Amino acid sequence: MIYFDNSATTKINDSVLESYLEASKRYYGNPSSLHVMGEETSSLLKRSRMQVAELLQVESEEIFFTSGGTEGDNWAIKGTAIEKMAYGKHIISTAIEHPAVIKSLEQLEQMGWEVTYLSVDEKGQIDLDELKQAIRKDTVLVSIMAVNNEMGSIQPLRKISEILESHPSIHFHVDAVQAVGKIDLDLAGSRIDIAVFSGHKFHAPKGTGFIYLKKGRKLAPLMSGGGQEKGKRSGTENVPGNIAMAKALRLLLEDSTAKRNKLFNLKNELTDYLTKLEKVTVFTPDGSAPHIICFGMNRIRGEVIVHALEKQGIIVSTTSACSSRRKTKTPTVLDMGYSKEEAESAVRISLSHLNSNEEVQEFKNQFNLIHEQMRDIN
Amino acid sequence: MQITEILVRYGELSTKGKNRKFFIKKLHRNVRTHLRQFNTVKISSNRDRMHIDLNEEDADAVMAELKDVFGIQSFSPVVKVEKTLEEAKKAVVHLVKQQFTENMTFKIMTRRADHDFKYDTNEMNRLLGTEVEKAVQPVSVKMKNPDVTVRVEVRKDGIFISVDTLSGAGGLPVGTSGKGMLMLSGGIDSPVAGYLSMKRGMSIEAVHFHSPPYTSPQALKKAKDLTAKIARFGGDVTFLEVPFTEIQEEIKKVIPEAYSMTITRRMMLRLTDAIRGHRNGLAIINGESLGQVASQTLESMTAINEVTNTPVLRPLISMDKNDIIKIAQDIDTFDLAVQPYEDCCTVFAPSRPKTKPRLHKVRELEEELDIEGMMQRALDGIVDTVIGKHSDSEQSNEDAFDSLF
């Protein structure tokens, strides 16, 4: 099996799984308990938080554990909305956000908030002037993803930050789920107030995640209860999950330059190959993240390619797993100016540093056959 | 241009007459201890100042350490340049520009250790001053109380220039005033009292009363962590953990509630004094502040203090709570101290303790207790640990966790 669907989810790393099992078996006390077992897990939790913070070069107290990306995005958006209700009800986001963002915004819209969705150009990037013009006195939140999950396009976070520099009261939320380990985030000292991360996208267990919340910024809790995570996110802590995630993050960021170079090489190889094929369009723009290639074959629906490749033991996906079964939002390809037909043909390859050159060669061999068989259909 | 050395000025030491040598020696040793992580720094001290030759070590990191050393009045980073007028001019202008404020006043103070140098001190002052006036505007020369004083020293091996003067921690070198036993409960006050005693040159050992299971392991850990915080200022601190359960239980059983607090405190003071005797301390330090709680009225202090003639120092006696909290925040003990764990002072705390206990009544009640026996058992059970500023009581545990991460 060749697994090329790493933006949907990743395989858990063996040593990460070992830590998860070991921690589940041996350290199962509740960190809030005051007995010795609680103390033990409480210090394990503290250490997980410290490790995550150190790896991202931020402060321990700026890290809050969650259950994953969807929770993080919901929290960042609704938490800000609740927190800043008295100051305004206008939010700026983009048309190409993950459904966790879009659906949260829609929910707020039903309750009286106003949302401006910035459009993207053919490179999948927002227009900075449009952003400038969209900012109003009652804008409380700007929510823009770092790396698009369908296309791999990167938003100009630094330039967005510069614009927001003169609007210090606006919360700047960045969905960094697809970005961690793939691009430089430089959270410390940046204008980013909230960044959202998900563990299972980097070989940690499902159901793990965390947000970075800049010191001094306020975010209303969505989970009320026992006061865990400094009262901001109640619910018994997933200590084994958080330990495993801290380890996975360490492994991800080890030799990250070498890993990124490897990803770039694999991606370039695939892009070069696909670009040369007749009737194949590569949608992923230049200058995008190193692990995602989105392409389509003329008028062949994406799912046909997915099934054809899966028969040969190669796993790819149509765009974004979260929206690929149910139509929950318009595909990013469409927002980038491609036609509906082209959008429906979109197929996404998403790589991990664990993929190899041999796998890429095998993909090419198999895709040659599929291409041969289908290029004259329609 | 690179900071090559740091010039340290002594504090009150200068007034210490014959003892001066002893003070300087002690300060020298303390500085060396504080800087032990920097392998290559060279420290040399003379009558007036101390020079710390950085030998490529990070100047900011070294200065951050120096800020915690008592006995230092101030210090200045020094830049070394080649022994030419041109180089000196460049460096002086650069350094003054860094400090520039509108209409700033300055003066140049040259010292010349190398008398073979082409220009004498007056010429140097004039030449460099003119250069600054030309290059940085608007500034003017002022001899008395200028905003910036540029110190230039011409030596055999180069010209040394400094402008910034950073204030040090003040006080006296730790260890020059003898040793005191700090009664450390785990609250806000006692670490501050310890810190202030260290500032006046005392070295301290921490005495902590522990009453398991009425007090928790977390309370003990907190006391140790607080000790680590103040160890930052005076090197390693010995932490003495005194088992106090039996005494507290016995007092609870035998002594009427109104007097239990007074007699508990008397037992603590007796024990601390006995420990002091064994460990050659000269004084006892506590965090009492007048009127704060029932044990801190003058009547209570009289009744409690009666068990010893040893000086009991109370650095916080006349301070308001807010001022104490401010110091606690400065020395980073506040957040730890307010963690809500029960300590030996709150265990069995009577609801209405006597604020004006009568001494003859106290003596009478104490006759019911086997004071000697209980003290001996407590003293026999003392556990001592040496705590440095990097000690973390979780450390040993942490190592076992390494493989998980």
Side-chain angles (χ1 to χ4, degrees):
Chain A
M1 190 74 79
I2 294 174
Y3 187 72
F4 277 170
D5 197 15
N6 290 286
S7 286
T9 190
T10 57
K11 180 184 171 186
I12 191 167
N13 177 299
D14 285 342
S15 80
V16 168
L17 182 58
E18 260 166 45
S19 287
Y20 184 80
L21 289 174
E22 175 79 0
S24 303
K25 282 189 230 164
R26 282 183 56 184
Y27 305 107
Y28 51 86
N30 186 324
S32 304
S33 301
L34 52 76
H35 50 64
V36 59
M37 283 178 69
E39 270 296 291
E40 212 165 44
T41 34
S42 159
S43 62
L44 281 166
L45 185 68
K46 187 173 147 198
R47 177 141 171 205
S48 310
R49 200 185 308 281
M50 265 167 55
Q51 179 155 324
V52 170
E54 272 169 28
L55 288 166
L56 297 178
Q57 295 172 322
V58 299
E59 310 269 319
S60 223
E61 62 201 270
E62 295 176 317
I63 301 295
F64 296 86
F65 291 119
T66 65
S67 63
T70 295
E71 184 190 335
D73 283 334
N74 268 267
W75 186 12
I77 291 164
K78 295 174 192 171
T80 299
I82 295 169
E83 191 71 54
K84 292 179 159 278
M85 211 151 40
Y87 304 99
K89 289 190 166 186
H90 178 241
I91 297 171
I92 300 171
S93 188
T94 79
I96 62 160
E97 295 299 309
H98 187 274
V101 170
I102 299 277
K103 290 285 152 183
S104 295
L105 293 172
E106 283 173 7
Q107 218 182 340
L108 288 174
E109 280 179 293
Q110 282 162 16
M111 292 189 290
W113 269 265
E114 236 186 291
V115 183
T116 306
Y117 296 95
L118 305 174
S119 57
V120 296
D121 58 17
E122 70 288 351
K123 298 192 103 185
Q125 290 188 322
I126 61 154
D127 178 353
L128 293 166
D129 286 326
E130 200 186 333
L131 168 64
K132 264 184 226 165
Q133 276 152 23
I135 297 172
R136 315 193 312 212
K137 260 201 179 130
D138 60 342
T139 307
V140 290
L141 172 68
V142 169
S143 179
I144 295 176
M145 71 197 330
V147 171
N148 179 264
N149 50 310
E150 298 173 34
M151 208 51 61
S153 53
I154 302 172
Q155 296 303 333
L157 293 183
R158 226 162 262 151
K159 286 185 181 136
I160 296 168
S161 294
E162 278 167 27
I163 293 170
L164 292 179
E165 227 27 271
S166 46
H167 303 276
S169 64
I170 295 178
H171 271 189
F172 183 20
H173 157 227
V174 171
D175 175 338
V177 169
Q178 292 294 342
V180 61
K182 310 299 194 300
I183 65 168
D184 290 328
L185 274 172
D186 298 333
L187 291 174
S190 81
R191 179 60 183 79
I192 299 170
D193 298 308
I194 309 165
V196 169
F197 300 85
S198 168
H200 76 102
K201 307 284 190 193
F202 53 86
H203 308 280
K206 310 312 189 233
T208 62
F210 63 94
I211 69 162
Y212 157 82
L213 174 63
K214 189 191 279 173
K215 222 190 307 182
R217 286 302 201 178
K218 284 190 180 151
L219 192 60
L222 298 189
M223 303 287 186
S224 310
Q228 289 86 349
E229 300 293 304
K230 281 195 265 151
K232 282 187 159 47
R233 199 275 187 185
S234 291
T236 299
E237 300 90 336
N238 179 2
V239 177
N242 294 334
I243 291 170
M245 177 170 62
K247 186 175 196 175
L249 188 63
R250 174 175 71 75
L251 295 171
L252 174 77
L253 298 178
E254 246 171 29
D255 306 317
S256 65
T257 325
K259 281 179 188 147
R260 268 187 231 179
N261 287 339
K262 182 181 176 189
L263 285 173
F264 268 122
N265 289 337
L266 296 179
K267 180 187 157 185
N268 290 341
E269 172 98 27
L270 284 164
T271 314
D272 289 348
Y273 164 72
L274 290 166
T275 315
K276 281 182 195 137
L277 288 179
E278 199 188 330
K279 295 190 180 172
V280 169
T281 314
V282 173
F283 301 123
T284 294
D286 288 345
S288 59
H291 63 306
I292 294 176
I293 307 120
C294 184
F295 69 97
M297 211 169 133
N298 207 8
R299 291 200 236 163
I300 307 259
R301 280 183 306 128
E303 57 186 90
V304 174
I305 305 279
V306 169
H307 292 311
L309 279 168
E310 133 198 301
K311 238 179 163 175
Q312 308 306 323
I314 298 172
I315 304 297
V316 299
S317 75
T318 55
T319 48
S320 178
C322 300
S323 59
S324 50
R325 279 177 189 274
R326 273 155 285 121
K327 295 263 177 287
T328 54
K329 75 179 263 292
T330 51
T332 305
V333 209
L334 213 55
D335 293 312
M336 284 165 65
Y338 289 100
S339 70
K340 186 161 172 288
E341 246 182 7
E342 284 171 308
E344 277 176 3
S345 76
V347 173
R348 180 187 68 184
I349 295 174
S350 48
L351 304 166
S352 146
H353 61 272
L354 299 176
N355 289 125
S356 67
N357 198 32
E358 289 73 45
E359 290 175 326
V360 167
Q361 297 313 322
E362 174 62 12
F363 170 86
K364 280 159 65 173
N365 294 339
Q366 294 303 333
F367 196 75
N368 276 337
L369 301 175
I370 293 168
H371 184 253
E372 188 72 25
Q373 180 195 340
M374 295 185 179
R375 78 175 157 198
D376 295 326
I377 297 179
N378 298 323
Chain B
M1 226 171 318
Q2 190 194 352
I3 298 170
T4 52
E5 72 167 58
I6 291 162
L7 184 70
V8 175
R9 290 173 206 83
Y10 306 141
E12 280 174 48
L13 264 62
S14 345
T15 59
K16 295 292 171 193
K18 276 187 199 160
N19 282 328
R20 187 172 170 134
K21 250 196 175 147
F22 165 68
F23 277 78
I24 292 172
K25 233 178 165 170
K26 198 83 198 171
L27 182 63
H28 185 105
R29 201 173 309 155
N30 291 352
V31 168
R32 203 172 57 205
T33 313
H34 273 265
L35 301 183
R36 69 184 150 197
Q37 49 177 308
F38 308 100
N39 294 324
T40 60
V41 297
K42 246 177 68 189
I43 304 162
S44 52
S45 29
N46 59 32
R47 267 186 69 82
D48 312 300
R49 306 141 147 206
M50 183 184 294
H51 294 271
I52 299 169
D53 195 340
L54 288 173
N55 274 327
E56 317 276 308
E57 296 281 0
D58 178 22
D60 290 332
V62 170
M63 289 193 285
E65 281 295 327
L66 287 178
K67 279 216 172 289
D68 293 340
V69 185
F70 292 126
I72 293 179
Q73 180 74 37
S74 64
F75 52 91
S76 315
V78 180
V79 168
K80 179 186 176 184
V81 297
E82 244 176 76
K83 215 166 72 180
T84 66
L85 182 64
E86 282 316 304
E87 287 301 313
K89 275 182 180 171
K90 254 193 257 168
V92 168
V93 167
H94 177 81
L95 291 170
V96 172
K97 268 187 180 158
Q98 280 184 342
Q99 305 278 307
F100 179 75
T101 50
E102 196 80 8
N103 294 318
M104 181 179 81
T105 58
F106 78 102
K107 79 168 166 186
I108 311 271
M109 259 176 72
T110 307
R111 275 168 45 145
R112 211 172 49 142
D114 174 13
H115 292 281
D116 299 332
F117 191 60
K118 211 160 125 195
Y119 308 96
D120 71 16
T121 52
N122 285 331
E123 283 169 331
M124 283 292 278
N125 287 345
R126 217 177 42 242
L127 287 165
L128 293 171
T130 318
E131 188 68 20
V132 170
E133 277 184 311
K134 240 187 354 199
V136 193
Q137 278 172 340
V139 288
S140 53
V141 177
K142 191 177 167 204
M143 283 303 133
K144 265 190 189 159
N145 296 322
D147 298 325
V148 169
T149 303
V150 183
R151 293 184 174 73
V152 179
E153 218 175 301
V154 184
R155 290 190 224 153
K156 284 266 183 258
D157 53 338
I159 299 178
F160 295 77
I161 304 161
S162 67
V163 285
D164 293 7
T165 296
L166 301 151
S167 46
L172 299 171
V174 172
T176 53
S177 311
K179 183 159 83 178
M181 314 307 290
L182 171 68
M183 299 174 78
L184 184 103
S185 59
I188 298 168
D189 302 337
S190 42
V192 174
Y195 161 80
L196 291 174
S197 330
M198 287 162 112
K199 184 167 183 183
R200 290 312 296 169
M202 265 209 249
S203 65
I204 59 165
E205 295 192 348
V207 178
H208 178 74
F209 296 93
H210 183 43
S211 299
Y214 305 104
T215 59
S216 63
Q218 288 95 320
L220 180 64
K221 172 175 164 342
K222 172 176 150 184
K224 286 184 176 172
D225 290 347
L226 284 170
T227 306
K229 290 280 180 199
I230 55 175
R232 178 177 135 200
F233 300 97
D236 298 347
V237 173
T238 303
F239 181 89
L240 302 146
E241 173 190 336
V242 188
F244 204 53
T245 312
E246 187 203 345
I247 295 174
Q248 286 203 285
E249 283 176 339
E250 192 62 19
I251 290 174
K252 172 82 180 161
K253 263 183 244 161
V254 176
I255 306 293
E257 207 187 340
Y259 273 88
S260 65
M261 180 275 295
T262 311
I263 290 173
T264 306
R265 298 298 167 124
R266 280 166 67 94
M267 288 307 293
M268 289 178 175
L269 191 56
R270 282 191 183 102
L271 283 163
T272 308
D273 200 31
I275 296 167
R276 177 205 59 76
H278 296 149
R279 302 187 64 89
N280 301 319
L282 292 171
I284 292 167
I285 306 148
N286 67 32
E288 287 176 341
S289 167
L290 195 58
Q292 218 185 74
V293 289
S295 63
Q296 299 177 14
T297 62
L298 280 180
E299 289 84 353
S300 273
M301 281 186 211
T302 309
I304 295 164
N305 212 148
E306 194 250 356
V307 300
T308 179
N309 284 326
T310 306
V312 177
L313 308 180
R314 299 175 174 88
L316 312 186
I317 196 66
S318 61
M319 284 174 75
D320 289 350
K321 193 77 187 177
N322 285 339
D323 299 328
I324 300 171
I325 288 175
K326 210 187 152 302
I327 299 178
Q329 284 166 337
D330 286 346
I331 63 173
D332 198 26
T333 54
F334 183 75
D335 291 343
L336 251 176
V338 294
Q339 287 177 0
Y341 303 119
E342 190 152 42
D343 62 38
C344 55
C345 301
T346 50
V347 170
F348 304 143
S351 50
R352 303 185 60 188
K354 278 256 184 254
T355 53
K356 297 183 177 177
R358 279 168 304 170
L359 197 52
H360 68 89
K361 177 86 181 163
V362 170
R363 288 198 188 122
E364 201 181 297
L365 288 168
E366 276 185 353
E367 276 168 26
E368 301 295 313
L369 298 170
D370 170 23
I371 292 182
E372 298 261 311
M374 289 196 300
M375 275 184 62
Q376 199 50 54
R377 286 188 288 281
L379 291 172
D380 289 344
I382 287 178
V383 178
D384 58 283
T385 334
V386 175
I387 295 184
K389 65 175 166 178
H390 297 300
S391 299
D392 187 331
S393 36
E394 278 173 22
Q395 202 57 50
S396 51
N397 222 352
E398 297 267 302
D399 296 339
F401 294 155
D402 273 351
S403 64
L404 287 172
F405 290 91

